[in-house]
Amino acid sequence: MVDSLELVRSGKLETLVAESLAGAGTAAPAVAEGKPSAWSPGNIVGHLRKTAISTRLSLIALLAMIAVVSVSAIAWQALRIEAEAGREMLRFARAQSLQQDADMMHDSLKADIYQLLVRDLDPEEELAIRQSLKDNAFRFRSNLDQLQRQPLSEAFTSTIVETRKAAESYIGSAEFVARQAKDSRETARFALYDFEQEYELVGVAMGRQTALLGREIAATEARSAEAAERAKDWILIAGALACIVTTLLVRLIGHSIRDSVQAISATAQAIADGRLDTRCRIANGEELNLLGQAINGMANYLQRTIDQMRDDGRRDTFSNQLAEALEMTHGENDAYGVVGRGMEIVSKTHAMELLLSDSSSAHLEKATEHPSAGSPGCGVVLPFNCVAVCRGSAVSFPDSDALNACPMLRKRAAGRVSAVCVPVTFMGRAIGVLHAAGTVEDPLSAEQVSELGVLGGQTGARIGTIRAFQRTQTQASTDSLTGLINRRSLEHKMREVRAAGRPFAFIMADLDKFKLLNDTHGHEAGDKALRLYAETVRECARDHDLLCRWGGEEFVFVLADATAQQAAQWCDRLKQKLAARLGDGRSIVFTASYGIADSVMSDSLEELQRIADSALYTSKTEGRDRATIGEALAPGERAPRQETEDVPGVDLRLLANSD
């Protein structure tokens, strides 16, 4: 190979071709004997001079076609490898989604069990939790079954089998505890230790499974990247070799058609050196023009192939970096910042904006815009008034004055515009649209449209995930009937309040004669009363106050930076507000009693609860519909509370006449 390169540098191309055709073993004896060989460079050139130019150029065209076919075959092989890697990544993405859902169901089962054992539940709530337990167990099994059916590695499949066994034991333990809780909570609590052990075993198995899945995804990505790089090298090497061979043959023919073929040779050499924008410009005759066109076609094909690979690499890089940036966001505002930077990468001059639907999914509002080019100002308000949302795919409009252009593009202050709209979706549901606009003379390129599609797709996935997570957190920390925080959430927030050292008032409230209200008017009326009371409390409270449904008809309110006396005044305002709302005659009239303590009375939350509870009992015994400020009690002291307010009265006359 080194000798051949030296011959090329020295210009002895005829010798190189002769040695390639005849072989060194044949040429050497002829030279030694001093006799001219039939395959000597001189004889080859002579034969070529006797051949028509069209034949000579046909030979070059044939070599060019072979080069094109070779490069095409290599490019096809590279695309096939990339497609296979893409399918493998899709399988892993599906497995990863199932794994995450299984993790969620694993934790949800535990949450359901603890709700059954810890909370005081009415029959409807208990039925709902048991149904949730059943549904979560079914989804847990279903996710693991689907994972087991995924065409993944044997190691991962065996890990799934182990996890499946542990999961079955865990689900069985959960169902056993649930059955025990139906008869006796105390008995069920004895089974919690085994349940916790099963929970931990499944967690460990799921952790191993997640780690193995992560390693296999990383290995697949590495194989894909390696295959892509290798394919690029193959294409470049094949193109370079083809151009070198073509150049050598052209130089050999150059003795007969010197000037024109030298120009073609120079062009071919330039292409071989990587300057793929070089083209042949020949005006001598039709045959030479055909040769030039063949070389230009090869260069165009190589240029398109390399440009496509470069565009694909740039788009993949943008997609990967965008995905990593969005994964590091913790809220919608953080995600909007990443989307803005992504807009600048797509184009620095085209105006762009992200419109997202509100919580009701009824209106579109601007979430963010291009940091430097600004917003194009799309006037669409309803999601399904957007063409891109209705079609479910990206749409382009080269000219806003065209007959089939989007109506929202017409009569803009900037005049005629071109635009691209990409629907932003999450799990098949449209949550917004990504809108970009430019002048008619400067529309977005095909590559920019493709990157805009990537930006819209990944934005929808991340925003949807963030919103779903926020909804889950809200549901876990609030009471579903009243919308107030639940007892567990209040206890967590109270630890933060005590750690901050801020003073506060602690109020316990209880709706008066609530059982009688339920028995007389039905549970629906009772639920309506609870909701109305919670709405009234929210109207009287400040943003930083803590409002909690403690359980049943009991509530707890924590007023920040307030004393017991200020809390009593607040309770009076609340009673007046409640009476005013009930005075319209459309709701059943009811009242509430209050017991008040504050942070000065005790450093212990349990002690404050005891003081407030004792004060609440005082309010009940003194006539209800009033607020009482409690006093510090001795350790362990607690005023007795009657089990229910609605003890039926005793007719003394009946007792007297019973004899």
Side-chain angles (χ1 to χ4, degrees):
M1 185 64 180
V2 176
D3 295 338
S4 299
L5 292 175
E6 291 297 329
L7 289 172
V8 172
R9 296 192 187 97
S10 63
K12 299 178 181 179
L13 299 175
E14 295 85 351
T15 303
L16 176 61
V17 174
E19 291 180 357
S20 300
L21 295 174
T26 305
V31 173
E33 296 174 4
K35 297 178 181 179
S37 171
W39 294 100
S40 65
N43 287 338
I44 293 174
V45 173
H47 288 303
L48 288 173
R49 286 175 178 170
K50 296 177 182 179
T51 306
I53 293 178
S54 59
T55 303
R56 288 177 254 170
L57 296 182
S58 296
L59 180 60
I60 296 175
L62 179 61
L63 291 175
M65 290 175 60
I66 294 173
V68 169
V69 171
S70 300
V71 175
S72 299
I74 293 174
W76 177 85
Q77 178 68 8
L79 292 174
R80 187 187 65 78
I81 293 173
E82 289 185 354
E84 179 62 28
R87 287 191 292 271
E88 189 172 358
M89 288 303 297
L90 283 175
R91 290 196 297 270
F92 278 114
R94 170 62 176 163
Q96 192 172 36
S97 175
L98 291 171
Q99 176 74 11
Q100 292 172 350
D101 199 18
D103 279 334
M104 187 181 300
M105 294 304 101
H106 170 228
D107 293 332
S108 297
L109 278 172
K110 183 179 180 181
D112 290 339
I113 290 298
Y114 274 88
Q115 286 191 72
L116 284 174
L117 297 181
V118 176
R119 292 183 51 194
D120 293 326
L121 304 173
D122 57 37
E124 291 184 1
E125 289 178 323
E126 182 175 355
L127 181 61
I129 292 175
R130 289 185 179 277
Q131 184 61 40
S132 172
L133 178 67
K134 182 178 179 181
D135 294 342
N136 290 335
F138 175 79
R139 285 185 60 187
F140 196 13
R141 289 191 178 101
S142 176
N143 288 330
L144 292 177
D145 288 342
Q146 293 182 61
L147 270 173
Q148 192 169 354
R149 290 194 296 269
Q150 295 297 312
L152 302 174
S153 66
E154 293 182 2
F156 188 73
T157 301
S158 62
T159 303
I160 295 174
V161 172
E162 296 176 2
T163 305
R164 186 73 172 81
K165 293 178 181 178
E168 282 298 331
S169 180
Y170 170 61
I171 293 170
S173 179
E175 292 172 344
F176 175 76
V177 174
R179 289 194 300 271
Q180 292 293 320
K182 191 171 184 180
D183 298 329
S184 170
R185 288 189 179 180
E186 293 299 326
T187 303
R189 289 191 180 102
F190 287 111
L192 275 181
Y193 177 80
D194 292 338
F195 172 74
E196 288 285 354
Q197 294 296 317
E198 298 291 347
Y199 172 80
E200 294 297 332
L201 289 175
V202 174
V204 171
M206 295 290 288
R208 288 198 301 269
Q209 190 168 296
T210 301
L212 180 57
L213 181 60
R215 291 195 296 271
E216 295 201 2
I217 290 175
T220 301
E221 291 176 346
R223 289 196 299 272
S224 176
E226 182 182 358
E229 290 298 325
R230 188 165 59 248
K232 293 177 186 177
D233 294 339
W234 288 348
I235 292 175
L236 292 175
I237 291 172
L241 290 176
C243 293
I244 291 173
V245 172
T246 303
T247 303
L248 291 175
L249 186 58
V250 170
R251 288 291 303 273
L252 189 61
I253 301 174
H255 289 282
S256 59
I257 44 176
R258 292 180 181 276
D259 296 337
S260 297
V261 176
Q262 285 177 356
I264 296 175
S265 176
T267 301
Q269 187 62 49
I271 294 173
D273 291 339
R275 299 193 298 273
L276 298 179
D277 57 342
T278 305
R279 296 294 181 269
C280 292
R281 296 178 179 84
I282 302 171
N284 289 351
E286 181 179 357
E287 290 180 331
L288 294 179
N289 276 330
L290 291 175
L291 177 59
Q293 292 171 9
I295 293 180
N296 288 343
M298 181 181 68
N300 289 335
Y301 182 83
L302 289 173
Q303 182 71 62
R304 288 194 302 270
T305 302
I306 293 175
D307 288 345
Q308 182 64 42
M309 294 173 61
R310 186 180 295 114
D311 292 342
D312 290 343
R314 184 167 53 249
R315 184 167 56 252
D316 291 343
T317 299
F318 172 71
S319 177
N320 293 336
Q321 291 180 349
L322 177 64
E324 292 175 358
L326 288 173
E327 285 177 359
M328 291 184 285
T329 60
H330 300 289
E332 288 196 38
N333 290 333
D334 294 341
Y336 297 154
V338 173
V339 173
R341 295 198 299 273
M343 290 177 178
E344 281 193 308
I345 294 175
V346 173
S347 173
K348 296 185 180 298
T349 58
H350 291 83
M352 301 182 194
E353 63 185 354
L354 173 64
L355 306 177
L356 293 178
S357 61
D358 55 17
S359 58
S360 65
S361 300
H363 295 84
L364 289 174
E365 298 177 352
K366 183 169 68 175
T368 188
E369 63 182 33
H370 195 292
S372 57
S375 168
C378 181
V380 66
V381 176
L382 302 177
F384 287 96
N385 284 352
C386 175
V387 177
V389 172
C390 292
R391 295 183 181 178
S393 60
V395 292
S396 298
F397 302 102
D399 191 342
S400 58
D401 285 349
L403 179 62
N404 61 341
C406 176
M408 297 295 175
L409 297 176
R410 297 192 181 97
K411 297 181 180 180
R412 292 197 177 180
R416 294 169 57 198
V417 296
S418 61
V420 175
C421 299
V422 178
V424 178
T425 61
F426 177 67
M427 298 183 69
R429 183 174 62 87
I431 62 174
V433 62
L434 186 60
H435 180 50
T439 63
V440 176
E441 295 78 15
D442 183 28
L444 272 77
S445 66
E447 177 63 23
Q448 289 172 326
V449 172
S450 177
E451 291 180 345
L452 202 65
V454 172
L455 181 60
Q458 296 201 12
T459 298
R462 187 55 183 169
I463 295 297
T465 301
I466 290 173
R467 289 183 175 181
F469 181 71
Q470 289 174 343
R471 284 195 298 271
T472 302
Q473 283 188 319
T474 301
Q475 292 171 357
S477 62
T478 58
D479 174 59
S480 59
L481 178 63
T482 62
L484 305 182
I485 62 175
N486 56 32
R487 182 171 180 171
R488 181 178 181 182
S489 181
L490 176 69
E491 292 172 347
H492 175 73
K493 292 180 181 294
M494 281 301 299
R495 286 195 291 270
E496 298 177 357
V497 172
R498 299 308 296 267
R502 297 176 60 185
F504 61 89
F506 186 91
I507 304 171
M508 291 195 72
D510 187 279
L511 300 192
D512 296 327
K513 298 186 177 180
F514 186 73
K515 183 178 184 302
L516 181 60
L517 186 151
N518 267 336
D519 294 341
T520 305
H521 301 283
H523 288 287
E524 183 176 352
D527 290 346
K528 182 178 179 181
L530 290 171
R531 285 194 294 268
L532 188 145
Y533 183 71
E535 293 171 3
T536 307
V537 171
R538 274 194 291 266
E539 292 176 3
C540 295
R542 301 164 296 179
D543 292 340
H544 54 279
D545 292 335
L546 302 179
L547 311 176
C548 165
R549 183 184 179 190
W550 194 251
E553 69 273 20
E554 286 191 312
F555 295 82
V556 169
F557 312 128
V558 179
L559 308 184
D561 303 319
T563 63
Q565 288 73 21
Q566 292 170 332
Q569 297 172 2
W570 182 85
C571 290
D572 290 339
R573 291 195 299 272
L574 175 58
K575 290 193 296 179
Q576 295 171 5
K577 185 76 172 179
L578 180 62
R581 292 194 64 169
L582 296 175
D584 58 6
R586 291 180 295 179
S587 302
I588 299 172
V589 177
F590 63 91
T591 60
S593 299
Y594 305 89
I596 303 171
D598 62 21
S599 54
V600 176
M601 298 179 182
S602 176
D603 293 331
S604 168
L605 180 61
E606 292 76 10
E607 182 68 17
L608 288 178
Q609 180 185 343
R610 279 201 314 132
I611 295 172
D613 188 58
S614 178
L616 174 60
Y617 177 65
T618 301
S619 296
K620 292 285 188 180
T621 57
E622 292 182 357
R624 304 182 183 87
D625 191 24
R626 65 190 62 213
T628 302
I629 298 177
E631 298 180 356
L633 301 173
E637 180 185 358
R638 180 180 179 88
R641 292 285 305 275
Q642 61 188 36
E643 295 298 327
T644 176
E645 295 186 57
D646 304 300
V647 178
V650 178
D651 193 333
L652 297 178
R653 290 174 299 176
L654 293 176
L655 289 176
N657 299 327
S658 60
D659 294 333

